[in-house]
Amino acid sequence: MSPEKNESLRRQLESMEVAQQGISGAKRQGARQLGTLCILLAVVLGALHGLLHVFNPERNLGAFFVLCAAAVLAILALTFGYQFLRRLLPAGFGRKYLIGLGMSLLLYGLGLGLITAGLGAMVVVLLAIVVAMPLLFAGIWMVRQ
Amino acid sequence: MSGHPRARMNEDFTNPVRLSLMAALQQVDEVDFKTLRESLEISDSVLSRQLSALEEKGYVIIRKGFVGKRPRTWAKLSSCGQRSLDEHVQALREITGGF
């Protein structure tokens, strides 16, 4: 292959790197946005889980329904807010978000089985943290990218 | 894989704008039209034309939607686009000696 042709192919590779650097700023912003959503969702899910142990349906049915409705509204508001702001989703981040959310929801579901068990305050706080953990870790990792 | 790596180069990516576009899309799961245009510093018409050409070839998936009342266009690489770009880049690296 002629040196000119080889040079032109090198330029192709260079132009790819320039394009990837060009989009890196938007990628960081996209990572921060999704990371923030994950952290906020983790806080909402963790707090809701803890509160459901305190205001469980056997103790206060009204408060239980109010809490559930408030959590659903908070999750919808966060999700719609994110959809409004979102312009770029970095490669692989959608999957990480779904894994974090899935694991947090799974732990949330498992923890629901204990809400009438009359657990101590420390255990309830610990459970809330455990529920929030997967999404929280995913969010912190994304924000740090 | 056999033969000279030149044979694995994809003629569809020899246009520099198109190659830049594919390289940028490789970095994301999905990106909107405006962000792509600003990142690559190209005009609306050039981006639109190149995206349509890549979509026609099956390398890119375009999704149109609304955010509130505003229309927004999203683009992402198809699995065929990802594979073709990987092969093209691999061939480029082999020819240029792993630049």
Side-chain angles (χ1 to χ4, degrees), chain A residues 33-91:
Chain A
Q33 284 175 344
L34 186 59
T36 306
L37 174 75
C38 286
I39 292 169
L40 293 174
L41 282 177
V43 170
V44 169
L45 281 178
L48 174 69
H49 193 75
L51 288 170
L52 286 184
H53 281 271
V54 179
F55 301 101
N56 69 59
E58 282 183 358
R59 199 179 292 175
N60 190 336
L61 192 60
F64 174 81
F65 282 122
V66 169
L67 273 175
C68 289
V72 168
L73 283 178
I75 290 167
L76 285 178
L78 286 171
T79 309
F80 281 120
Y82 172 70
Q83 290 297 333
F84 188 78
L85 291 173
R86 180 173 83 107
R87 292 199 161 271
L88 181 151
L89 187 61

Side-chain angles (χ1 to χ4, degrees), chain B residues 2-33:
Chain B
S2 62
H4 195 279
R6 192 175 52 237
R8 298 200 308 273
M9 286 182 57
N10 192 326
E11 284 300 312
D12 294 326
F13 303 148
T14 50
N15 177 313
V17 174
R18 224 178 263 187
L19 186 61
S20 298
L21 189 47
M22 291 293 287
L25 288 175
Q26 194 182 29
Q27 299 286 301
V28 302
D29 277 352
E30 199 172 46
V31 60
D32 81 333
F33 188 89

